[in-house]
C-alpha cells in the first residue's frame, strides 16, 4: 500500500467484475455467476460485493491525504447489474470520507440488457450523473459475431428513458472492424448512433484479445478479421460524420459535444491520481502504481482479513514517467508542447511533420496536434519517440 498521496484531488474507479454472459471479444476482469459457481441472486451478489468495496474505501481514506474527489467511474464488467441503492452506498462512503466536488462527475457503464426506466431513476437518485452505454453496433449480424446479446432496438429506448429521468451526459461505446462488417454496416451504425440524443461517443477498433472466444474462432479460420486499411477507412468515416454532427475528438477514440468530454478519462490520460477499488483494479498516486488481486474470491479474503487487496506495485522512474506521458498525451489534441522533446525526438517529429501528421497551426504555437492521418499512425509515432 502506498505511503500517502500528496495531491489534493483523488478520483475513484469502482470495478464491478460481473456480467450475465461474457461477450466473445472481451478479456476484461469479469465473471459470470456460472464461472463463480455461486447460487446467490445478483441482488445478493450486489449487496455482499459492495460491502467489501466499502472496506477498501476506508483503507483509501487512511492512506491518501487527498481531500477532494472530482470524478467517480463505475466500470466493469457490468456495473448496471448492481442495485442503485448499493451504488449509492459507495458514493456516500466516498462522500463522507472525502469531499465530492460540487460538479463531481459520476459515471455508470451500462449494458442495455440490464436497464429499465425505474432502474435509471434509482441511479439518478443515487447521484450518478453520466451514463455510458455499450451499443457496439446497430447491425444484428455484427452484434452476433461480437457475441452480444442485447437487442439493438433497446439502445434508443434506454437513451430516451435516460433523458426523461434527467441524465444530461450520455455516452455510447461503438466497435468497428468486426469480422463481416461492411462499410455500409458501419455507416448504418454511425447513422443510428448519431440519431440518438447523446453528448459523447467512444469508438474502438476491435482488438482480438488472446484467450477469448473470438481469438479461438479466428485461429480456427471460422472468421476473418478485416485488413488494417479497411479499418482505417472506417475510422475516417466515423471522424467525418462525428465532426459534421458537432462531436469533436478530444482523444483518438473519443469524441464529444462541446463541454462534454469524460473528465474521468482525461484524468487518466494526464496521469492524475486515482484509486481503483475492487478486484484487479489499478491505482496511481504520484508516480506510484499498484494493482489489486484479480479474482473476486481472493479480494474477498483480503478485505475480510482486513488486509490491503494490493497484489503488487511499482514506482516509475523519471524516464518511465516521461515515456508514459508521450504515450498518453500524444493521443490528446494539444497534449504536448514541443519543448518537452529532446533534439533526437525533434528530428523524428520533423520527419512525421513532413508527412502531414501534425496540424501546422498548433505546431506554430509550439504544440502537437495530430491530423486525422496522424491519428491513424499514432502508435507508430509513439513507438519511434519512446524507443
Ligand atoms: C466494460 S465495457 C462497457 C460496459 C458493458 N460491460 C457493456 O459491454 O455494455 C467497455 C467497452 O470496452 C470496449 N471493448 C471491450 N473489449 C474490446 C475489444 N476486444 N476490442 C475493442 N473494444 C472493446 C467495448 O466497446 C465496451 O463497451
Ligand atoms: S463487453 Fe461488457 S458485457 Fe461484454 S463481457 Fe465485456 S464487460 Fe461484460
Amino acid at each position: 500500500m502506498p505511503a500517502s498521496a500528496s495531491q489534493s484531488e483523488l478520483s475513484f474507479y469502482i470495478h464491478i467484475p460481473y456480467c450475465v454472459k461474457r461477450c466473445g471479444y472481451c478479456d476484461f476482469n469479469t465473471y459470470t455467476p456460472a464461472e463463480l459457481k455461486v447460487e446467490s441472486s445478483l441482488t445478493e451478489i450486489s449487496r455482499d460485493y459492495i460491502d467489501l468495496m466499502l472496506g477498501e474505501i476506508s483503507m483509501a481514506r487512511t492512506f491518501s491525504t487527498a481531500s477532494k474527489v472530482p470524478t467517480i467511474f463505475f466500470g466493469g464488467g457490468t456495473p448496471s447489474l448492481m442495485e442503485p441503492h448499493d451504488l449509492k452506498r459507495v458514493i456516500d462512503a466516498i462522500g463522507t470520507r472525502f469531499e465530492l466536488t460540487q460538479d463531481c462527475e459520476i459515471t455508470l457503464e451500462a449494458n442495455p440488457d440490464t436497464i429499465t426506466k425505474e432502474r435509471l431513476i434509482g441511479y439518478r437518485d443515487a447521484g450518478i450523473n453520466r451514463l455510458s452505454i455499450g451499443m457496439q453496433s446497430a447491425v444484428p449480424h455484427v452484434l452476433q459475431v461480437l457475441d452480444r446479446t442485447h437487442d439493438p432496438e433497446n439502445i434508443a429506448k434506454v437513451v430516451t428513458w435516460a433523458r426523461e429521468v434527467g441524465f444530461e451526459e450520455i455516452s455510447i461505446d461503438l466497435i468497428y472492424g468486426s469480422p463481416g462488417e461492411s462499410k455500409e454496416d458501419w455507416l448504418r451504425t454511425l447513422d443510428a448512433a448519431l440519431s440518438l440524443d447523446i453528448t459523447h461517443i467512444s469508438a474502438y477498433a476491435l482488438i482480438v484479445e488472446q484467450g477469448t472466444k473470438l481469438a479461438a474462432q479466428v485461429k480456427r479460420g471460422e472468421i476473418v478479421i478485416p485488413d488494417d486499411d479497411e479499418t482505417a477507412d472506417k475510422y475516417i468515416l466515423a471522424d467525418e460524420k462525428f465532426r459534421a454532427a458537432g462531436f469533436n475528438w478530444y482523444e483518438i477514440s473519443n469524441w464529444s459535444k462541446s463541454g462534454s468530454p469524460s473528465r474521468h478519462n482525461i484524468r487518466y490520460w494526464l496521469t492524475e491520481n486515482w484509486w481503483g477499488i475492487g478486484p484487479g483494479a489499478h491505482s496511481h498516486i504520484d508516480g506510484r502504481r499498484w494493482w489489486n488481486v484479480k479474482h473476486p474470491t481472493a479480494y474477498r479474503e483480503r478485505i475480510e482479513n482486513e488486509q490491503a487487496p494490493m497484489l503488487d506495485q511499482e514506482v516509475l522512474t523519471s524516464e518511465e514517467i516521461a515515456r508514459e506521458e508521450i504515450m498518453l498525451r500524444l493521443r490528446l489534441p494539444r497534449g504536448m508542447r514541443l519543448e518537452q522533446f529532446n533534439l533526437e525526438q525533434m528530428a523524428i517529429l520533423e520527419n512525421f511533420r513532413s508527412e502531414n501528421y501534425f496540424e501546422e497551426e498548433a505546431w506554430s504555437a509550439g504544440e502537437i496536434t495530430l491530423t486525422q492521418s496522424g491519428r491513424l499512425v499514432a502508435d507508430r509515432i509513439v513507438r519511434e519517440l519512446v524507443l
Side-chain angles (χ1 to χ4, degrees):
M1 191 60 63
S4 72
S6 63
Q7 285 185 13
S8 66
E9 291 201 333
L10 180 68
S11 284
F12 279 90
Y13 170 76
I14 314 289
H15 188 64
I16 307 292
Y18 305 111
C19 289
V20 173
K21 176 187 168 290
R22 182 180 284 277
C23 307
Y25 57 87
C26 180
D27 78 338
F28 288 24
N29 187 33
T30 186
Y31 305 84
T32 62
E35 282 169 345
L36 290 171
K37 299 190 180 63
V38 290
E39 300 288 312
S40 339
S41 69
L42 275 165
T43 310
E44 286 164 325
I45 292 179
S46 172
R47 189 191 54 226
D48 290 356
Y49 180 63
I50 297 297
D51 285 344
L52 298 176
M53 299 185 111
L54 299 188
E56 194 183 352
I57 291 169
S58 295
M59 292 179 192
R61 178 60 289 176
T62 310
F63 288 99
S64 163
T65 57
S67 54
K68 296 202 173 180
V69 175
T71 66
I72 301 174
F73 193 103
F74 290 94
T78 309
S80 52
L81 285 175
M82 299 288 108
E83 297 296 327
H85 64 87
D86 280 324
L87 298 189
K88 183 169 187 310
R89 288 201 290 139
V90 173
I91 297 168
D92 289 347
I94 297 173
T96 50
R97 289 168 179 80
F98 299 82
E99 184 191 338
L100 303 188
T101 59
Q102 248 197 339
D103 59 349
C104 184
E105 175 190 277
I106 308 183
T107 303
L108 175 81
E109 275 187 345
N111 183 313
D113 277 348
T114 63
I115 293 290
T116 59
K117 191 167 178 183
E118 289 63 43
R119 232 178 153 78
L120 284 173
I121 292 171
Y123 290 136
R124 193 81 190 98
D125 290 347
I128 290 158
N129 51 30
R130 185 169 180 276
L131 210 59
S132 172
I133 304 165
M135 172 174 171
Q136 323 307 351
S137 171
V139 181
H141 76 85
V142 176
L143 288 170
Q144 202 181 353
V145 83
L146 286 174
D147 205 20
R148 291 286 294 194
T149 48
H150 73 257
D151 177 352
E153 307 276 318
N154 284 345
I155 302 289
K157 246 189 253 172
V158 172
V159 172
T160 307
W161 291 334
R163 280 278 175 214
E164 283 169 6
V165 308
F167 280 96
E168 286 175 5
E169 300 297 340
I170 306 175
S171 177
I172 51 153
D173 285 347
L174 299 177
I175 291 181
Y176 59 97
S178 299
E181 182 189 58
S182 66
K183 188 179 151 194
E184 290 66 37
D185 291 333
W186 179 231
L187 272 172
R188 194 172 142 198
T189 294
L190 292 172
D191 287 337
L194 289 172
S195 71
L196 302 169
D197 190 4
I198 54 174
T199 52
H200 186 283
I201 303 172
S202 302
Y204 306 109
L206 178 68
I207 299 170
V208 181
E209 303 282 4
Q210 291 288 323
T212 58
K213 180 173 162 189
L214 179 74
Q217 288 171 305
V218 172
K219 198 165 165 211
R220 288 196 298 268
E222 288 166 17
I223 50 178
V224 179
I225 296 295
D227 72 34
D228 286 351
D229 286 348
E230 200 181 313
T231 304
D233 285 346
K234 286 182 182 161
Y235 180 90
I236 292 170
L237 257 181
D239 189 47
E240 305 286 343
K241 284 213 156 236
F242 294 160
R243 193 175 35 200
F247 292 84
N248 292 313
W249 76 281
Y250 71 97
E251 193 274 342
I252 291 182
S253 305
N254 288 278
W255 292 258
S256 81
K257 289 265 177 77
S258 164
S260 292
S262 157
R263 287 196 280 120
H264 186 85
N265 287 338
I266 288 181
R267 286 179 57 82
Y268 289 151
W269 297 317
L270 295 179
T271 35
E272 306 281 8
N273 289 343
W274 78 88
W275 195 297
I277 302 276
H282 286 234
S283 304
H284 167 259
I285 291 185
D286 297 339
R288 186 189 297 258
R289 295 181 180 288
W290 71 96
W291 47 96
N292 286 350
V293 289
K294 201 168 168 202
H295 200 277
T297 310
Y299 181 77
R300 170 181 297 281
E301 278 169 17
R302 291 283 188 103
I303 300 284
E304 285 180 348
N305 291 319
E306 293 183 22
Q307 290 172 336
M310 181 178 84
L311 175 67
D312 208 351
Q313 63 172 327
E314 64 187 7
V315 178
L316 300 183
T317 62
S318 49
E319 289 79 34
E320 283 168 333
I321 292 175
R323 231 180 286 148
E324 193 157 294
E325 201 172 287
I326 294 176
M327 274 166 60
L328 294 169
R329 293 198 178 193
L330 210 73
R331 298 177 66 86
L332 309 175
R334 311 211 158 187
M336 296 218 66
R337 293 199 55 83
L338 290 175
E339 67 251 23
Q340 291 174 268
F341 296 98
N342 61 32
L343 280 179
E344 210 179 314
Q345 289 171 323
M346 277 309 292
I348 296 169
L349 288 173
E350 283 289 3
N351 238 339
F352 284 123
R353 182 184 171 207
S354 69
E355 299 195 53
N356 296 323
Y357 290 155
F358 305 133
E359 299 282 1
E360 280 304 319
E361 200 187 310
W363 185 278
S364 313
E367 284 168 320
I368 297 217
T369 302
L370 296 171
T371 56
Q372 190 184 64
S373 50
R375 278 180 268 154
L376 290 171
V377 294
D379 289 345
R380 201 177 104 213
I381 299 176
V382 168
R383 251 194 328 271
E384 290 204 21
L385 285 170
V386 302
L387 272 183

